Amino acid sequence: MPELAVSDLHKSFGDVHAVNGLDLTLAEGEILALLGPSGCGKTTTLRLIAGFDRPDQGTIVLHGRDLLPLPPEKRKIGFVFQNYALFPHMTVAQNIAYGIRYAPRHTERVRELIVLVDLSGLERRYPRELSSGQCQRVALARALAPQPRLLLLDEPLSALDAKLRESLRREIRRIQQEVKLATLHVTHDQDEAMAISDRMAVMHAGRIEQIGTPSEIYSHPESAFVASFIGHANVIAGTITSVSEERLEMDASGTMLRAAASGRDFHPGEDVLLFCKEEKLRLADDGQKTVSARVIIAEYHGETVIVHLESRIGPLRLRMPAGMASNMSAGMQVSVCLPPEECDVFPQKTLS
Ligand code: ATP
């Protein structure tokens, strides 16, 4: 039995279907990242699960218990917001104790939590005397204090700088594994989602478009939306010219491109989009089907370089090790190859 089972969840605000038939399960101790563009319904989903809003339709069951009749405080859910929402007039210890202040032995529990989130020595400080990373640790400890069955994290790291975000996401993972708590982590940052989660769910227009391990989602996107949202893909529009059991051929502005067959049905004449991740595009070797292109700019990103190209099939980006890109300069002519086995093709009409 899953720890959390959400099915056929709907919530509209006027004409906006913020959540539109969402299904989701979460196993005990699992961390699932809910990832999607702004406005796709991530926060609304969390708010419905937490009980801050009522769904129009659907069920939410946590550890076998129907949550809908229960108010937020009875749902056994911990919530961490983007902006910490700490009480400014309370110390670290008082903030953490807030939800358990009438429970027996709460001082001992607060002490344990302070060690767990690595805030020893800061118990008597006020939020204004803490860094933003420390504030978020207090918020996490406060959410964990009543021993919830489920933890909801709504973009908890987005207000922090890049370095702190990385270290705190490792901390969240460590703490989550230590307390073995089912956790739903909302983010729009795909690196964060991949780094932190056991599985990730890509959300689009109020529902889950694909759910799987980070490597499944990255390597095998099942829709044009997921292929365009995850990874950094080149997107090339074209028309199918032939279909066989092993491969597809398409025409893109007069250039023939191939992709390995994926099991999806296509027919000649169908308008499609071909996706090829920027690190999969290669400078061509002899004998390969190639596309000629001109270098616009080579952008340095530490160990890798992204080469921006202009070609007949449209703009392309190629990511390569910095050591191999030293001779790439604006105006240079190159031939690139889109390896068929690294290309995903989807009907054009599905990207809406
Ligand atoms: P973001 O990443 O920007 O936070 P999100 O994926 O969390 O976005 P939601 O905040 O869930 O998206 O919003 C989904 C849609 O519902 C949006 O179009 C939003 O404007 C709308 N919406 C959310 N809450 C309300 C509300 N209380 N009243 C009216 N519309 C709302």
Side-chain angles (χ1 to χ4, degrees), residues 1-7 23-30 32 59-67 149-150 182-183 199 211:
M1 188 179 67
E3 185 68 352
L4 174 72
V6 175
S7 56
D23 296 300
L24 188 68
T25 60
L26 199 52
E28 204 178 335
E30 182 182 34
L32 184 120
T59 58
I60 306 171
V61 175
L62 179 62
H63 199 64
R65 208 154 66 127
D66 176 9
L67 289 189
R149 293 218 73 104
L150 174 69
T183 301
R199 284 186 306 150
I211 188 162

Side-chain angles (χ1 to χ4, degrees), residues 13 16-18 36-45 53 154-155 186 188:
F13 299 102
V16 178
H17 297 295
S38 186
C40 71
K42 304 180 295 294
T43 296
T44 306
T45 303
D53 279 323
D154 190 4
E155 307 243 14
V186 158
H188 60 253

Side-chain angles (χ1 to χ4, degrees), residues 26-164:
L26 199 52
E28 204 178 335
E30 182 182 34
I31 181 160
L32 184 120
L34 195 56
L35 178 73
S38 186
C40 71
K42 304 180 295 294
T43 296
T44 306
T45 303
L46 285 202
R47 291 178 57 81
L48 293 172
I49 296 172
F52 303 141
D53 279 323
R54 272 201 75 76
D56 302 328
Q57 189 183 318
T59 58
I60 306 171
V61 175
L62 179 62
H63 199 64
R65 208 154 66 127
D66 176 9
L67 289 189
L68 290 185
L70 303 175
E73 64 279 10
K74 294 267 166 60
R75 292 189 176 198
K76 287 190 164 286
I77 293 177
F79 205 119
V80 179
F81 304 93
Q82 178 180 342
N83 59 1
Y84 335 124
L86 299 180
F87 300 113
H89 60 289
M90 290 186 185
T91 63
V92 166
Q94 287 165 342
N95 262 286
I96 297 174
Y98 185 76
I100 53 170
R101 59 196 183 285
Y102 302 121
R105 307 227 314 261
H106 72 266
T107 326
E108 208 178 310
R109 174 89 182 125
V110 170
R111 225 176 286 135
E112 278 169 24
L113 285 160
I114 283 181
V115 172
L116 180 73
V117 300
D118 204 13
L119 284 174
S120 302
L122 305 182
E123 295 83 342
R124 290 167 198 274
R125 291 225 194 145
Y126 288 89
R128 65 176 179 277
E129 300 167 331
L130 299 174
S131 71
S132 42
Q134 289 163 340
C135 284
Q136 208 45 305
R137 286 166 194 263
V138 178
L140 185 59
R142 188 182 54 182
L144 294 173
Q147 297 186 300
R149 293 218 73 104
L150 174 69
L151 182 63
L152 302 177
L153 305 173
D154 190 4
E155 307 243 14
L157 307 178
S158 61
L160 310 178
D161 69 51
K163 205 157 177 186
L164 192 55

Side-chain angles (χ1 to χ4, degrees), residues 292-318:
S292 21
R294 196 170 70 89
V295 175
I296 304 293
I297 192 173
E299 251 175 30
Y300 282 84
H301 291 261
E303 301 209 331
T304 59
V305 167
I306 299 177
V307 185
H308 292 257
L309 303 161
E310 173 178 83
S311 78
R312 256 178 90 167
I313 60 172
L316 295 170
R317 291 181 321 277
L318 183 159

Side-chain angles (χ1 to χ4, degrees), residues 230-266:
I230 298 289
H232 301 275
N234 290 289
V235 187
I236 299 141
T239 306
I240 295 284
T241 51
S242 84
V243 181
S244 73
E245 259 179 34
E246 294 88 43
R247 69 177 179 216
L248 303 169
E249 288 183 354
M250 65 179 253
D251 173 76
S253 312
T255 299
M256 198 263 281
L257 298 176
R258 291 201 180 110
S262 58
R264 289 176 205 102
D265 274 341
F266 289 102

